[in-house]
Amino acid sequence: MPSIDNRSSGGASNISSAINLTKTIIGAGLLSMPLAYATDGTIFGTFIIILAALTSGFGLFIQAYVSRYIASGHANFFGLCLITYPQLSVIFDIAIAIQCFGCAISYLVLIGDLMPTIISDVPYVEEKHYRTFWLLVSALFTVPLSFAKKLDALRYTSILALIAILYISLLVVAHFFIHDIPRSGIIEYFPSSITGVFSTFSIIVFAFSGQQNMFSIINEAKDKSLTNLTRLINFAIILSSVLFIGVGLAGYLTFGSSVNGNVILSYPNGAATLLGRFCIVFMVLFSFPLMFYPARISFNNIYYSAKKGLQEKSEEVNETTSLIQGGDEGDTEEQTNLHVVPFTHKTFVVLTILLLITAYTLAITLKSFAFVLAIVGATGSTSISFILPGLFGYKLIGSESDDPSTLEKIFKYLSLGLTIWGVAVMIVCLYSSLAL
């Protein structure tokens, strides 16, 4: 079995890894938590958040565990699919690419929609072009950051984004304790209708999604031991849970059932609120490269797979069969190296430029694609967060031994449970998107 306590001399520090994982998890979903509480109630809403935290945290843990079954520093969804379910590798990467890329574009759309409400007058620019103007201004920040070859390079922007998130959280909580806003809606402890729960279910479940960057964080970590990675995951999940519950409850208890889908927009205009809206833009501005990063990796995997398929279409490729086939244990390291996907500098630059042009073109031309994003999120996010990690864990954990330990058996069947949970989440979210 690949070593669980693998340490490398170079790489990202624990602080850097924790910051990037936490920022990947905490995004725009934080602003919708009060609305989720408005439909779920204070008690049931908190229960759903804790359940989402546990399932998402376990998914991250499984990713850390199974990363040992592939060449060190090269763990990714595509490579693990090749050694577990090779026939599905490209399909899953397409879902991952579309989900992450779509989410990145949605951040640009949000910037274009929000900035004109913050700065209502731009000299020498016609009002009808304000949205395009602010999108082009955002490119001054997002384009250089999108060329980062390592996630660790984004740690400083992640720190700035987390400071913005902290301010937004303090703003919401402070207004609750000050009691300066009269409540205009009622407070519920439990949901009044199951339909309402379905409508906001995906907000809570996907709020904890950090799986898209987890493998990159593992690959770059200085200390890749399972113990250390588990500490990073626990820190990120606990901090995210505290913020989600705190902001969700404070915002809901302030406005009641009349709370806005973006809680900051519910507050009256003022200096503090204006700064809060700037913080939203700041947060999503630096969230764009964090979503762009895994999308680019998946697009490269798809490109590599298509290129390899064209080159070897007349050959029988036996290397894509499962790693565990009863072969010699000494062949494990050699087999894992077969699934390293190359990413040359030329491909990196060309792919980055093409994706950035596509992203900004779509953000400028599309006013809203919330429905499409909801469908892709229900499939792509669920695959990344629950289904794939669960399938990897069920297939790989304990597979190198004829008599796996009790703990390995527990992890194995919990992984299967995570996959079942993911399928249930997908059904609920698709129903919410199509029927509600």
Side-chain angles (χ1 to χ4, degrees):
M1 173 182 176
S3 174
I4 294 297
D5 291 319
N6 179 34
R7 298 172 185 265
S8 58
S9 57
S13 66
N14 287 342
I15 295 176
S16 175
S17 299
I19 289 172
N20 278 324
L21 179 57
T22 303
K23 178 58 200 73
T24 300
I25 293 174
I26 305 175
L30 175 70
L31 305 172
S32 299
M33 282 298 152
L35 177 64
Y37 269 104
T39 59
D40 295 344
T42 56
I43 296 177
F44 188 72
T46 302
F47 168 75
I48 292 295
I49 288 178
I50 294 174
L51 179 62
L54 291 174
T55 54
S56 183
F58 183 67
L60 292 169
F61 170 78
I62 291 300
Q63 284 183 261
Y65 197 109
V66 301
S67 66
R68 307 302 173 218
Y69 292 87
I70 202 165
S72 179
H74 295 279
N76 56 56
F77 286 103
F78 184 79
L80 284 163
C81 275
L82 287 179
I83 62 175
T84 51
Y85 308 94
Q87 67 277 13
L88 300 177
S89 57
V90 176
I91 295 175
F92 278 120
D93 246 304
I94 291 173
I96 294 168
I98 294 175
Q99 159 60 19
C100 294
F101 193 57
C103 189
I105 296 172
S106 72
Y107 289 151
L108 297 181
V109 172
L110 182 58
I111 292 171
D113 291 343
L114 196 57
M115 278 305 299
T117 69
I118 300 174
I119 301 179
S120 57
D121 185 28
V122 180
Y124 309 109
V125 179
E126 294 183 31
E127 185 176 351
K128 64 180 180 180
H129 298 310
Y130 280 2
R131 186 174 181 275
T132 301
F133 171 78
W134 287 116
L135 281 171
L136 294 178
V137 170
S138 73
L140 298 176
F141 299 91
T142 60
V143 170
L145 293 173
S146 296
F147 277 89
K149 286 195 172 183
K150 288 189 175 183
L151 201 64
D152 186 47
L154 301 174
R155 62 189 181 277
Y156 296 116
T157 55
S158 292
I159 292 174
L160 294 176
L162 285 175
I163 292 174
I165 289 171
L166 180 61
Y167 175 81
I168 294 171
S169 302
L170 290 175
L171 177 67
V172 175
V173 174
H175 274 296
F176 166 70
F177 282 108
I178 294 173
H179 295 293
D180 60 337
I181 298 175
R183 184 187 303 159
S184 57
I186 62 174
I187 300 295
E188 300 281 356
Y189 294 104
F190 294 96
S192 56
S193 73
I194 191 66
T195 304
V197 174
F198 283 167
S199 66
T200 56
F201 182 74
S202 60
I203 294 176
I204 296 178
V205 173
F206 296 146
F208 286 93
S209 296
Q211 284 79 358
Q212 63 268 27
N213 278 328
M214 187 60 197
F215 282 132
S216 296
I217 290 171
I218 293 170
N219 294 336
E220 297 177 18
K222 181 178 181 180
D223 183 356
K224 295 181 174 63
S225 67
L226 185 62
T227 300
N228 182 66
L229 294 174
T230 301
R231 282 198 296 264
L232 296 178
I233 294 168
N234 290 339
F235 172 83
I237 290 293
I238 291 173
L239 179 58
S240 302
S241 300
V242 170
L243 286 176
F244 288 152
I245 293 174
V247 172
L249 282 174
Y252 175 50
L253 294 176
T254 298
F255 296 99
S257 56
S258 63
V259 68
N260 195 295
N262 183 336
V263 67
I264 298 299
L265 300 181
S266 298
Y267 294 100
N269 292 330
T273 303
L274 184 63
L275 181 56
R277 291 177 183 176
F278 264 120
C279 285
I280 296 174
V281 174
F282 204 70
M283 177 179 67
V284 297
L285 186 69
F286 293 133
S287 294
F288 176 85
L290 286 174
M291 297 305 298
F292 187 87
Y293 189 94
R296 179 175 50 207
I297 292 175
S298 290
F299 277 114
N300 178 64
N301 293 340
I302 296 167
Y303 165 73
Y304 168 77
S305 180
K307 181 180 178 181
K308 185 177 180 181
L310 290 174
Q311 292 175 342
E312 303 179 357
K313 61 182 178 179
S314 61
E315 301 177 9
E316 290 292 331
V317 185
N318 297 321
E319 288 82 2
T320 58
T321 55
S322 176
L323 186 155
I324 309 298
Q325 290 187 339
D328 294 335
E329 186 175 346
D331 294 337
T332 298
E333 183 176 353
E334 180 181 351
Q335 288 175 317
T336 58
N337 286 323
L338 293 172
H339 305 293
V340 175
V341 180
F343 203 169
T344 64
H345 176 72
K346 179 181 178 180
T347 302
F348 176 89
V349 173
V350 172
L351 194 55
T352 300
I353 293 173
L354 289 176
L355 290 177
L356 284 172
I357 292 174
T358 303
Y360 272 89
T361 300
L362 290 174
I364 291 172
T365 56
L366 295 178
K367 302 303 179 184
S368 175
F369 54 104
F371 177 76
V372 176
L373 191 62
I375 299 297
V376 173
T379 54
S381 287
T382 306
S383 299
I384 299 171
S385 301
F386 309 118
I387 296 178
L388 273 177
L391 289 175
F392 293 156
Y394 182 72
K395 184 81 170 184
L396 294 174
I397 295 176
S399 58
E400 70 286 345
S401 173
D402 293 332
D403 185 24
S405 67
T406 301
L407 188 60
E408 286 177 328
K409 291 179 181 178
I410 292 174
F411 286 155
K412 183 181 182 71
Y413 288 104
L414 283 177
S415 298
L416 179 60
L418 186 67
T419 298
I420 296 172
W421 164 254
V423 173
V425 169
M426 180 182 293
I427 293 172
V428 170
C429 292
L430 285 175
Y431 170 76
S432 301
S433 301
L434 296 173
L436 298 181

